[in-house]
Amino acid sequence: MPVDIYWRIHMEGDQSSLRRRVHSRGGLTSGGTAPGTRDGRDDGYTHADYMAEVALAAEESGFTGGLLPNFPITDDPWAAAATLARETTSYRFMVAFQPGFLHPVQAARMTATLQRATGGRIVYNVISGGGGPAQLWWGDKVDHDDRYARTSEFLDVLKGVWAGGFTHHGRFYQVQDAGLPEELAGQPFPEIFFSGSSPAAIAAAGRHADYYLSWLEPFEALAEKFDAVRAASDTPPRFAVRVDVLARETEEEAWEEIAHGWRARRAGASGGDQGDQGDSVGVRRSRSFVAGAGDDHRALEVAPNVWGGFAELRDGPAFGLVGDYHQVAERLDRLLDLGVDAFILAGIPHLEEARRVGRHVLPLLKGRTS
């Protein structure tokens, strides 16, 4: 089966490199390249233009599509997908969203509209939230396990509405004879990438996910997690992994880039995909693998080319791959051997690294068919 490989589209702003943790490209932050000025005037280049450049570069580099993450500090990914779809031809847009902040009937109508407009290029990244201050920003006080119960019921209703003539009286949602208008009915239902590491998340994923999505972890731990998901479902989903990549022509060059960023890092800074001090089991798992590693950046290499220090250099999860092009491809191939069927890759900066990884790493993957 072909391997789908997505490239993360920055939504929160992009760094120019891992050596400087400042969002100087795109995003909603001020003072970056977008908007820029020329002769003292706005040059008309917006952060949406930069996102479109990244999407086009990734499409041209052979990626299946792009993840559009969703945080309090980003544009809305539904609106961004509608904007960026017009700039691309076959690129799929993986819209990240928390079901608690949309009614499933409205979500069905929005999705079917986008599917009709894009020729079926919308994919879901369903997240139930990590608790803590970010969850309260959304006005959500539902506790951890109930968030997954709500997500599961949301997806039941959404699928029912998509099929049409659906009535439901549940704990979180009530609908009566709900369905899509005739002009929107019959669109392909999006693939569901489902995130979460807790038992409640794994149970919900077993019911609904086309792909169970995990951050990269040490490979043995990742294999154990996949086994738990398989055990929780009569029809197990496929598996996907979100992986940061720093690949260079030589391994020495790759680690030198990490060393530069490590020397310039801001101690204790983390955010974005990594989340805040909420109740996320995934965040706690990720941090546990590198606890006590100290200040030597190479001590965070938990296995050959598997490095757990990325959260110190940019917002996001801790683990990624560092090495030369062949080493990174070999580690990705090893993940394929563990049962991974899709990747969401990322690199800093998103634009140049999409081209680099597309040119030098993707052609080396044994599971790649295009």
Side-chain angles (χ1 to χ4, degrees):
M1 182 177 292
V3 179
D4 286 339
I5 304 181
Y6 291 81
W7 183 257
R8 185 184 187 275
I9 306 296
H10 76 287
M11 296 281 286
E12 68 280 27
D14 200 2
Q15 298 171 213
S16 60
S17 77
L18 288 174
R19 302 183 183 200
R20 188 165 182 260
R21 190 169 175 163
V22 175
H23 291 163
S24 60
R25 300 182 180 186
L28 304 182
T29 55
S30 61
T33 59
T37 58
R38 181 171 297 177
D39 298 327
R41 296 187 298 273
D42 189 330
D43 67 0
Y45 184 84
T46 70
H47 70 277
D49 293 319
Y50 182 64
M51 283 195 294
E53 275 198 75
V54 175
L56 282 167
E59 183 177 51
E60 292 166 358
S61 298
F63 290 92
T64 303
L67 167 65
L68 298 173
N70 187 25
F71 303 115
I73 57 172
T74 68
D75 282 329
D76 178 78
W78 296 93
T83 300
L84 297 173
R86 297 179 65 88
E87 305 288 338
T88 56
T89 56
S90 61
Y91 202 64
R92 300 181 203 168
F93 293 94
M94 186 185 293
V95 175
F97 70 100
Q98 294 193 40
F101 315 129
L102 276 175
H103 194 281
V105 175
Q106 175 66 4
R109 186 175 69 159
M110 288 169 54
T111 304
T113 300
L114 282 170
Q115 291 291 65
R116 186 183 186 203
T118 65
R121 291 193 278 143
I122 301 302
V123 180
Y124 286 157
N125 176 20
V126 177
I127 51 179
S128 296
Q135 202 70 23
L136 293 175
W137 183 92
W138 298 99
D140 189 21
K141 295 184 178 180
V142 175
D143 66 26
H144 180 278
D145 285 5
D146 282 346
R147 291 200 299 272
Y148 285 99
R150 179 179 60 188
T151 293
S152 191
E153 186 178 332
F154 175 98
L155 291 171
D156 284 336
V157 175
L158 178 59
K159 292 173 182 177
V161 171
W162 202 274
F166 182 71
T167 296
H168 175 85
H169 298 286
R171 178 182 173 192
F172 296 98
Y173 304 104
Q174 296 80 39
V175 297
Q176 185 72 37
D177 196 28
L180 294 169
E182 182 178 350
E183 291 77 11
L184 294 180
Q187 296 297 323
F189 191 81
E191 290 183 321
I192 296 174
F193 285 67
F194 196 104
S195 305
S197 296
S198 68
I202 288 173
R207 287 192 58 207
H208 293 289
D210 295 298
Y211 289 89
Y212 174 78
L213 173 62
S214 175
W215 289 336
L216 181 65
E217 295 179 352
F219 289 7
E220 295 79 7
L222 204 57
E224 291 174 2
K225 185 190 287 189
F226 292 168
D227 286 342
V229 174
R230 292 186 186 100
S233 176
D234 294 332
T235 56
R238 289 169 284 178
F239 296 95
V241 181
R242 159 86 167 83
V243 185
D244 267 69
V245 171
L246 199 161
R248 295 293 185 266
E249 187 171 348
T250 68
E251 184 178 17
E252 291 74 20
E253 286 180 81
W255 283 111
E256 181 63 21
E257 188 68 20
I258 291 293
H260 279 295
W262 192 256
R263 288 191 291 269
R265 76 193 190 283
R266 295 203 312 263
S270 66
D273 293 357
Q274 182 68 22
D276 51 50
Q277 298 291 334
D279 56 13
S280 169
V281 173
V283 170
R284 291 200 301 271
R285 277 177 61 96
S286 183
R287 290 172 178 164
S288 72
F289 295 122
V290 294
D295 198 49
D296 177 6
H297 68 278
R298 290 303 295 260
L300 298 174
E301 188 181 11
V302 299
N305 308 109
V306 181
W307 191 63
F310 276 99
E312 296 287 336
L313 308 186
R314 54 95 185 97
D315 296 342
F319 281 96
L321 301 178
V322 180
D324 67 37
Y325 301 134
H326 287 274
Q327 289 171 327
V328 169
E330 287 168 1
R331 297 294 88 78
L332 293 172
D333 281 339
R334 174 61 181 141
L335 289 169
L336 294 176
D337 292 338
L338 291 179
V340 173
D341 300 289
F343 293 110
I344 301 172
L345 304 184
I348 301 293
H350 288 68
L351 178 61
E352 289 86 346
E353 292 302 310
R355 292 171 175 150
R356 184 194 303 272
V357 173
R359 182 181 304 118
H360 297 294
V361 177
L362 295 193
L364 301 175
L365 295 183
K366 67 181 182 183
R368 191 68 170 157
T369 60
S370 61

mmCIF file of all heavy atoms in Angstrom, residues 27-56:
data_model
loop_
_atom_site.group_PDB
_atom_site.id
_atom_site.type_symbol
_atom_site.label_atom_id
_atom_site.label_comp_id
_atom_site.label_asym_id
_atom_site.label_seq_id
_atom_site.Cartn_x
_atom_site.Cartn_y
_atom_site.Cartn_z
ATOM 1 N N GLY A 27 2.667 33.676 10.090
ATOM 2 C CA GLY A 27 2.000 33.670 11.378
ATOM 3 C C GLY A 27 1.395 35.016 11.726
ATOM 4 O O GLY A 27 1.374 35.954 10.924
ATOM 5 N N LEU A 28 0.872 35.098 12.952
ATOM 6 C CA LEU A 28 0.192 36.316 13.381
ATOM 7 C C LEU A 28 1.111 37.254 14.155
ATOM 8 O O LEU A 28 0.667 38.265 14.666
ATOM 9 C CB LEU A 28 -1.010 35.943 14.251
ATOM 10 C CG LEU A 28 -2.019 35.000 13.591
ATOM 11 C CD1 LEU A 28 -3.191 34.728 14.532
ATOM 12 C CD2 LEU A 28 -2.526 35.563 12.274
ATOM 13 N N THR A 29 2.403 36.911 14.245
ATOM 14 C CA THR A 29 3.340 37.762 14.959
ATOM 15 C C THR A 29 3.756 38.941 14.092
ATOM 16 O O THR A 29 3.787 38.863 12.870
ATOM 17 C CB THR A 29 4.594 36.971 15.363
ATOM 18 O OG1 THR A 29 5.165 36.379 14.198
ATOM 19 C CG2 THR A 29 4.226 35.876 16.353
ATOM 20 N N SER A 30 4.093 40.044 14.738
ATOM 21 C CA SER A 30 4.503 41.235 13.993
ATOM 22 C C SER A 30 6.014 41.256 13.830
ATOM 23 O O SER A 30 6.749 40.587 14.537
ATOM 24 C CB SER A 30 4.042 42.494 14.738
ATOM 25 O OG SER A 30 4.633 42.547 16.027
ATOM 26 N N GLY A 31 6.465 42.036 12.846
ATOM 27 C CA GLY A 31 7.892 42.251 12.672
ATOM 28 C C GLY A 31 8.590 41.231 11.814
ATOM 29 O O GLY A 31 9.811 41.265 11.683
ATOM 30 N N GLY A 32 7.863 40.297 11.205
ATOM 31 C CA GLY A 32 8.492 39.295 10.369
ATOM 32 C C GLY A 32 8.491 39.688 8.904
ATOM 33 O O GLY A 32 8.282 40.846 8.538
ATOM 34 N N THR A 33 8.705 38.688 8.051
ATOM 35 C CA THR A 33 8.771 38.966 6.612
ATOM 36 C C THR A 33 7.402 39.226 6.004
ATOM 37 O O THR A 33 7.320 39.708 4.879
ATOM 38 C CB THR A 33 9.414 37.781 5.882
ATOM 39 O OG1 THR A 33 8.637 36.602 6.129
ATOM 40 C CG2 THR A 33 10.827 37.560 6.346
ATOM 41 N N ALA A 34 6.346 38.866 6.720
ATOM 42 C CA ALA A 34 5.004 39.082 6.205
ATOM 43 C C ALA A 34 4.132 39.671 7.318
ATOM 44 O O ALA A 34 3.989 39.067 8.376
ATOM 45 C CB ALA A 34 4.397 37.762 5.722
ATOM 46 N N PRO A 35 3.542 40.847 7.088
ATOM 47 C CA PRO A 35 3.727 41.649 5.882
ATOM 48 C C PRO A 35 5.088 42.347 5.874
ATOM 49 O O PRO A 35 5.620 42.682 6.927
ATOM 50 C CB PRO A 35 2.596 42.671 5.975
ATOM 51 C CG PRO A 35 2.353 42.808 7.449
ATOM 52 C CD PRO A 35 2.593 41.449 8.036
ATOM 53 N N GLY A 36 5.629 42.560 4.695
ATOM 54 C CA GLY A 36 6.895 43.260 4.540
ATOM 55 C C GLY A 36 6.662 44.679 4.036
ATOM 56 O O GLY A 36 5.546 45.077 3.719
ATOM 57 N N THR A 37 7.735 45.417 3.986
ATOM 58 C CA THR A 37 7.647 46.792 3.469
ATOM 59 C C THR A 37 8.664 46.987 2.366
ATOM 60 O O THR A 37 9.721 46.348 2.342
ATOM 61 C CB THR A 37 7.913 47.818 4.591
ATOM 62 O OG1 THR A 37 9.204 47.576 5.148
ATOM 63 C CG2 THR A 37 6.869 47.714 5.687
ATOM 64 N N ARG A 38 8.323 47.839 1.436
ATOM 65 C CA ARG A 38 9.220 48.226 0.358
ATOM 66 C C ARG A 38 9.036 49.712 0.127
ATOM 67 O O ARG A 38 7.917 50.170 -0.091
ATOM 68 C CB ARG A 38 8.896 47.436 -0.910
ATOM 69 C CG ARG A 38 9.802 47.762 -2.083
ATOM 70 C CD ARG A 38 9.560 46.798 -3.227
ATOM 71 N NE ARG A 38 9.893 45.419 -2.854
ATOM 72 C CZ ARG A 38 9.713 44.377 -3.658
ATOM 73 N NH1 ARG A 38 9.211 44.551 -4.869
ATOM 74 N NH2 ARG A 38 10.028 43.156 -3.252
ATOM 75 N N ASP A 39 10.132 50.435 0.198
ATOM 76 C CA ASP A 39 10.087 51.899 0.074
ATOM 77 C C ASP A 39 9.125 52.508 1.080
ATOM 78 O O ASP A 39 8.392 53.463 0.790
ATOM 79 C CB ASP A 39 9.684 52.305 -1.351
ATOM 80 C CG ASP A 39 10.678 51.836 -2.395
ATOM 81 O OD1 ASP A 39 11.882 51.785 -2.062
ATOM 82 O OD2 ASP A 39 10.256 51.509 -3.519
ATOM 83 N N GLY A 40 9.107 51.905 2.283
ATOM 84 C CA GLY A 40 8.274 52.448 3.343
ATOM 85 C C GLY A 40 6.812 52.079 3.255
ATOM 86 O O GLY A 40 6.009 52.549 4.068
ATOM 87 N N ARG A 41 6.436 51.249 2.286
ATOM 88 C CA ARG A 41 5.030 50.884 2.117
ATOM 89 C C ARG A 41 4.856 49.370 2.230
ATOM 90 O O ARG A 41 5.794 48.615 1.941
ATOM 91 C CB ARG A 41 4.493 51.370 0.775
ATOM 92 C CG ARG A 41 4.478 52.893 0.633
ATOM 93 C CD ARG A 41 3.765 53.307 -0.653
ATOM 94 N NE ARG A 41 4.434 52.792 -1.839
ATOM 95 C CZ ARG A 41 5.447 53.430 -2.454
ATOM 96 N NH1 ARG A 41 5.900 54.565 -1.978
ATOM 97 N NH2 ARG A 41 6.003 52.892 -3.534
ATOM 98 N N ASP A 42 3.663 48.953 2.610
ATOM 99 C CA ASP A 42 3.314 47.533 2.663
ATOM 100 C C ASP A 42 3.522 46.929 1.282
ATOM 101 O O ASP A 42 3.014 47.446 0.278
ATOM 102 C CB ASP A 42 1.845 47.405 3.090
ATOM 103 C CG ASP A 42 1.452 45.962 3.389
ATOM 104 O OD1 ASP A 42 2.028 45.040 2.791
ATOM 105 O OD2 ASP A 42 0.532 45.770 4.210
ATOM 106 N N ASP A 43 4.269 45.812 1.218
ATOM 107 C CA ASP A 43 4.561 45.223 -0.093
ATOM 108 C C ASP A 43 3.482 44.247 -0.567
ATOM 109 O O ASP A 43 3.614 43.646 -1.637
ATOM 110 C CB ASP A 43 5.930 44.524 -0.071
ATOM 111 C CG ASP A 43 5.958 43.287 0.832
ATOM 112 O OD1 ASP A 43 4.927 42.962 1.451
ATOM 113 O OD2 ASP A 43 7.036 42.660 0.916
ATOM 114 N N GLY A 44 2.436 44.079 0.229
ATOM 115 C CA GLY A 44 1.335 43.232 -0.197
ATOM 116 C C GLY A 44 1.542 41.748 0.051
ATOM 117 O O GLY A 44 0.656 40.934 -0.242
ATOM 118 N N TYR A 45 2.692 41.359 0.591
ATOM 119 C CA TYR A 45 2.978 39.948 0.854
ATOM 120 C C TYR A 45 2.509 39.618 2.263
ATOM 121 O O TYR A 45 2.952 40.213 3.240
ATOM 122 C CB TYR A 45 4.483 39.694 0.731
ATOM 123 C CG TYR A 45 4.904 38.255 0.893
ATOM 124 C CD1 TYR A 45 4.856 37.377 -0.182
ATOM 125 C CD2 TYR A 45 5.355 37.781 2.113
ATOM 126 C CE1 TYR A 45 5.259 36.055 -0.045
ATOM 127 C CE2 TYR A 45 5.762 36.464 2.267
ATOM 128 C CZ TYR A 45 5.710 35.608 1.182
ATOM 129 O OH TYR A 45 6.106 34.305 1.326
ATOM 130 N N THR A 46 1.572 38.677 2.391
ATOM 131 C CA THR A 46 0.963 38.380 3.675
ATOM 132 C C THR A 46 1.453 37.030 4.201
ATOM 133 O O THR A 46 2.082 36.246 3.481
ATOM 134 C CB THR A 46 -0.567 38.327 3.552
ATOM 135 O OG1 THR A 46 -0.937 37.157 2.797
ATOM 136 C CG2 THR A 46 -1.094 39.580 2.856
ATOM 137 N N HIS A 47 1.107 36.748 5.450
ATOM 138 C CA HIS A 47 1.481 35.447 6.001
ATOM 139 C C HIS A 47 0.744 34.332 5.268
ATOM 140 O O HIS A 47 1.239 33.214 5.170
ATOM 141 C CB HIS A 47 1.220 35.392 7.504
ATOM 142 C CG HIS A 47 -0.207 35.368 7.904
ATOM 143 N ND1 HIS A 47 -0.966 36.496 8.007
ATOM 144 C CD2 HIS A 47 -1.013 34.334 8.232
ATOM 145 C CE1 HIS A 47 -2.180 36.178 8.396
ATOM 146 N NE2 HIS A 47 -2.242 34.865 8.537
ATOM 147 N N ALA A 48 -0.441 34.625 4.698
ATOM 148 C CA ALA A 48 -1.144 33.620 3.891
ATOM 149 C C ALA A 48 -0.353 33.307 2.616
ATOM 150 O O ALA A 48 -0.338 32.161 2.148
ATOM 151 C CB ALA A 48 -2.546 34.101 3.544
ATOM 152 N N ASP A 49 0.316 34.315 2.074
ATOM 153 C CA ASP A 49 1.167 34.080 0.901
ATOM 154 C C ASP A 49 2.333 33.154 1.249
ATOM 155 O O ASP A 49 2.716 32.303 0.441
ATOM 156 C CB ASP A 49 1.715 35.408 0.359
ATOM 157 C CG ASP A 49 0.633 36.298 -0.227
ATOM 158 O OD1 ASP A 49 -0.250 35.766 -0.921
ATOM 159 O OD2 ASP A 49 0.670 37.513 0.021
ATOM 160 N N TYR A 50 2.888 33.327 2.462
ATOM 161 C CA TYR A 50 3.985 32.441 2.859
ATOM 162 C C TYR A 50 3.482 31.010 3.056
ATOM 163 O O TYR A 50 4.127 30.049 2.626
ATOM 164 C CB TYR A 50 4.650 32.959 4.133
ATOM 165 C CG TYR A 50 5.820 32.101 4.565
ATOM 166 C CD1 TYR A 50 6.951 31.984 3.761
ATOM 167 C CD2 TYR A 50 5.776 31.388 5.752
ATOM 168 C CE1 TYR A 50 8.018 31.179 4.141
ATOM 169 C CE2 TYR A 50 6.838 30.583 6.140
ATOM 170 C CZ TYR A 50 7.952 30.478 5.327
ATOM 171 O OH TYR A 50 9.011 29.680 5.702
ATOM 172 N N MET A 51 2.313 30.852 3.687
ATOM 173 C CA MET A 51 1.744 29.513 3.828
ATOM 174 C C MET A 51 1.520 28.874 2.461
ATOM 175 O O MET A 51 1.762 27.680 2.273
ATOM 176 C CB MET A 51 0.426 29.560 4.600
ATOM 177 C CG MET A 51 0.583 29.728 6.090
ATOM 178 S SD MET A 51 -0.944 29.353 7.001
ATOM 179 C CE MET A 51 -2.023 30.666 6.427
ATOM 180 N N ALA A 52 1.059 29.671 1.500
ATOM 181 C CA ALA A 52 0.839 29.143 0.150
ATOM 182 C C ALA A 52 2.157 28.718 -0.489
ATOM 183 O O ALA A 52 2.217 27.696 -1.185
ATOM 184 C CB ALA A 52 0.150 30.198 -0.714
ATOM 185 N N GLU A 53 3.234 29.476 -0.248
ATOM 186 C CA GLU A 53 4.548 29.075 -0.760
ATOM 187 C C GLU A 53 4.970 27.724 -0.203
ATOM 188 O O GLU A 53 5.503 26.861 -0.914
ATOM 189 C CB GLU A 53 5.601 30.131 -0.390
ATOM 190 C CG GLU A 53 5.708 31.307 -1.337
ATOM 191 C CD GLU A 53 7.027 32.032 -1.143
ATOM 192 O OE1 GLU A 53 8.070 31.500 -1.593
ATOM 193 O OE2 GLU A 53 7.011 33.111 -0.534
ATOM 194 N N VAL A 54 4.736 27.528 1.102
ATOM 195 C CA VAL A 54 5.107 26.258 1.733
ATOM 196 C C VAL A 54 4.270 25.123 1.141
ATOM 197 O O VAL A 54 4.796 24.054 0.810
ATOM 198 C CB VAL A 54 4.919 26.336 3.253
ATOM 199 C CG1 VAL A 54 5.176 24.972 3.893
ATOM 200 C CG2 VAL A 54 5.857 27.383 3.859
ATOM 201 N N ALA A 55 2.965 25.343 0.987
ATOM 202 C CA ALA A 55 2.098 24.304 0.436
ATOM 203 C C ALA A 55 2.513 23.941 -0.985
ATOM 204 O O ALA A 55 2.585 22.763 -1.359
ATOM 205 C CB ALA A 55 0.642 24.763 0.474
ATOM 206 N N LEU A 56 2.807 24.945 -1.798
ATOM 207 C CA LEU A 56 3.226 24.685 -3.178
ATOM 208 C C LEU A 56 4.562 23.963 -3.228
ATOM 209 O O LEU A 56 4.754 23.025 -4.015
ATOM 210 C CB LEU A 56 3.311 26.008 -3.951
ATOM 211 C CG LEU A 56 1.974 26.593 -4.420
ATOM 212 C CD1 LEU A 56 2.177 28.031 -4.887
ATOM 213 C CD2 LEU A 56 1.394 25.745 -5.541
#
